[in-house]
Amino acid sequence: MKEQILSNAKLILADEVVNGSLVIRDGKIADIDTHDSQLSQADDLNGDYLMPGMVELHTDNQEKYFTPRPKVDYPGHLAMATHDAQLIAAGITTSFDSVALGDIIGDSTRVEKLDAMIKAIVASEQNGLNRASHFLHLRCEVSFPGLMEFFERYIGEDLVKLVSVMDHAPGQRQFPPENIPKYREYYQGKYNMSDSEMDDFIAIQQANSAKYADRFRRTICEVCNDRGIATASHDDATLTHAQESAQLGMQVAEFTTTLVAARASHELGLKVLMGAPNVVRGGSHSGNIAAAELARDGVLDILSSDYYPSALLQAAFMVAGQDNGYTLADAIALVTRNPAQASNLFDRGELKTGLRADLVQVHPHEVMPMIQRTWREGRRVF
């Protein structure tokens, strides 16, 4: 690959933003200069920002393309191509595609399509069809009786680089005892259950959580720790939850629901991950803590697009513009360096010599930051 020079750019480095140029050689960042290049072959970025390609730790964006409508199955390679194209257009060059191992309903679409989805993700990556780098994030529903069968089937996949544990049973994490009426309202409407059917459903979910959750959570963390795979908690709400997650060796605290849990997780060394849509929309759609509040408290470490890829860049720039201690460099680290390091990917996520030339050119339009170009390992992919 020939040498490339990107000049007249605002370079978003780890700790500051500087004007200058960047040299790409053999797919890696070869040099960074705080002066514009005078060489005729330099590519003029017209003063736009140049930042690392974003690293997405938790997205189920692909699900909508595998099943675009109820009872409609779409070919896996086309579903992945559409998902991948949307990520690249959003500036995401590394994606952890999250797949749910188990669900609150045993025969749900997520469970039914799980094997086909994982096969498509793996095949598209192995066959070089993707423009972004894709890994697997196994989301383990620890109150699901058949979880360990799924976990043992997929944990050996080379692309598995992140595993999270979650418990959506009523009375747990996202649905503490005081929120069970909201749980009832949501799932009764979703699955069209009568009052008595909903009573039985709640009883079964609570029994399954009591029987399986603690044992499954501990076993999964032990296996992942032995394999060097990063682990994440999900919807931690209390100090006890955060302490348990730290004790089990987790690296990430996904979608903490309270300031208490976020503070404790951050202080215990877990990277607190929140949803970019939470920032863009101005709060949590489920009534939990707002990501902006965590930023004001200095305990927001990672942003995830979750279900809306283009929210990631927008949210980072919004955090930088809000009343908190985050500079633009700090805010961009929420979607680049921090998620990369939390998932043990130390070859990307920062504008630094020797790292992968995964790059995004961003024009600071007055309405919103606009992505102009995206590179993966020095090759332009958007």
Side-chain angles (χ1 to χ4, degrees), residues 75-95:
H77 63 286
L78 290 177
M80 275 303 297
T82 306
H83 168 55
D84 177 68
Q86 189 174 7
L87 295 179
I88 282 294
I92 297 168
T93 53
T94 300
S95 174

Side-chain angles (χ1 to χ4, degrees), residues 193-300:
M193 288 185 265
S194 67
D195 288 344
S196 61
E197 288 173 334
M198 191 64 201
D199 289 340
D200 292 341
F201 180 78
I202 288 176
I204 291 171
Q205 299 303 316
Q206 290 177 329
N208 284 341
S209 178
K211 184 176 182 179
Y212 301 113
D214 184 66
R215 173 161 52 94
F216 285 177
R217 180 181 289 109
R218 292 182 181 280
T219 299
I220 286 168
C221 287
E222 288 174 5
V223 171
C224 291
N225 290 340
D226 288 344
R227 291 172 175 259
I229 297 172
T231 52
S233 64
H234 191 81
D235 292 336
D236 284 353
T238 68
L239 172 60
T240 300
H241 291 160
Q243 290 172 334
E244 179 188 50
S245 298
Q247 181 185 26
L248 292 173
M250 298 187 190
Q251 288 79 39
V252 178
E254 288 189 335
F255 309 117
T256 52
T257 63
T258 66
L259 181 58
V260 168
R263 281 176 175 170
S265 298
H266 183 83
E267 290 170 1
L268 288 167
L270 283 80
K271 298 298 184 183
V272 176
L273 178 154
M274 295 294 282
N278 183 311
V279 177
V280 173
R281 296 177 65 255
S284 165
H285 73 277
S286 56
N288 294 321
I289 190 76
E293 186 172 344
L294 300 192
R296 285 194 294 271
D297 205 65
V299 296
L300 178 63

Side-chain angles (χ1 to χ4, degrees), residues 54 56 59 61-62 64-65 83 86-92 276-277 304-314 371:
M54 289 184 283
E56 171 55 71
T59 179
N61 180 66
Q62 75 280 357
K64 66 173 69 77
Y65 300 118
H83 168 55
Q86 189 174 7
L87 295 179
I88 282 294
I92 297 168
S304 161
S305 71
D306 197 1
Y307 56 89
Y308 210 93
S310 62
L312 199 56
L313 181 69
Q314 178 74 11
I371 293 174

Side-chain angles (χ1 to χ4, degrees), residues 119-162:
K119 285 182 178 178
I121 294 169
V122 172
S124 64
E125 192 68 13
Q126 290 178 342
N127 292 325
L129 298 177
N130 298 326
R131 286 179 279 182
S133 297
H134 288 258
F135 296 104
L136 282 167
H137 169 178
L138 302 184
R139 301 181 63 207
C140 299
E141 186 65 60
V142 293
S143 59
F144 180 71
L147 169 62
M148 296 312 295
E149 179 182 349
F150 284 140
F151 179 73
E152 291 167 4
R153 184 187 308 172
Y154 301 120
I155 190 61
E157 287 284 356
D158 290 340
L159 292 185
V160 174
K161 301 295 183 184
L162 179 64

